Amino acid sequence: MSRSPLPMFGSRPPQTDSEPWKYRLDQFARDCRPQIAALSWSFHLANPETTDVLGIDLQPQPHFVTCPRRAVEALNQNVAHQLQEVLGLLDAYQPETEVLILAIGDGQIKILFFEPDPTPPEAYQTLDEPVLETLMVELEDELARRFAPESESTSADASAPPDSPGS
């Protein structure tokens, strides 16, 4: 029996070599959902009246940033309105029940958008520490680990003997 070339609903397409950073971010979001939810709520509590959104900048090393709404609007103007969907998500974003983070990497934007369980306020309440500072550092460390250059494989390649011309 042959397999269908179309992926089944709910299954993820395989990682492509051209955009591994997006795959790594998806894995990070899946593995760290409660912590990300708590951080998202902490960010909201620190900035309740703002239209800014939490972001992740992957360069030079992964770190959290504030993405002002006006900057996203200006970028949308500069890219012929290709970010209209992002602006729509920002307009409809409900921080009490959702997480929305803009990730910037390789000259592209990726949106981390999901409804966590527990909700962001519930995830925040389970922590006993200054969430914004402490949790942000912990999550940045996790991102740095996941996005570290693959020095182990390059050092292993460097120590292997070169192929001889006749082989």
Side-chain angles (χ1 to χ4, degrees), residues 5-158:
L6 298 175
M8 298 299 294
F9 290 108
S11 66
R12 291 192 170 270
Q15 175 184 352
T16 63
D17 290 337
S18 64
E19 297 181 338
W21 71 275
K22 290 181 179 181
Y23 177 79
R24 288 179 185 176
L25 270 176
D26 285 340
Q27 295 300 314
F28 167 74
R30 186 196 72 215
D31 295 345
C32 301
R33 285 174 88 92
Q35 298 93 333
I36 294 169
L39 180 64
S40 178
W41 187 248
S42 180
F43 179 81
H44 172 73
L45 291 176
N47 308 286
E49 301 302 318
T50 186
T51 57
D52 296 350
V53 66
L54 188 60
I56 299 172
D57 186 354
L58 296 176
Q59 299 299 323
Q61 68 181 36
H63 59 285
F64 287 95
V65 296
T66 298
C67 297
R69 164 76 185 222
R70 66 185 180 285
V72 177
E73 290 171 347
L75 180 59
N76 184 49
Q77 294 290 326
N78 292 339
V79 296
H81 302 282
Q82 293 180 13
L83 298 179
Q84 282 302 122
E85 292 174 349
V86 173
L87 293 173
L89 285 173
L90 291 176
D91 290 340
Y93 174 50
Q94 299 294 315
E96 301 82 16
T97 59
E98 302 167 333
V99 169
L100 190 146
I101 298 175
L102 296 180
I104 306 152
D106 289 345
Q108 299 177 350
I109 292 178
K110 175 172 178 47
I111 303 165
L112 298 177
F113 182 71
F114 57 92
E115 290 185 12
D117 183 24
T119 66
E122 292 168 343
Y124 177 83
Q125 289 175 353
T126 65
L127 302 173
D128 295 329
E129 53 197 43
V131 177
L132 194 55
E133 297 80 19
T134 306
L135 190 54
M136 186 178 294
V137 169
E138 291 172 6
L139 288 171
E140 285 175 344
D141 288 346
E142 178 62 21
L143 280 166
R145 186 185 66 74
R146 290 173 185 249
F147 284 88
E150 297 183 26
S151 57
E152 294 81 13
S153 64
T154 55
S155 63
D157 293 342

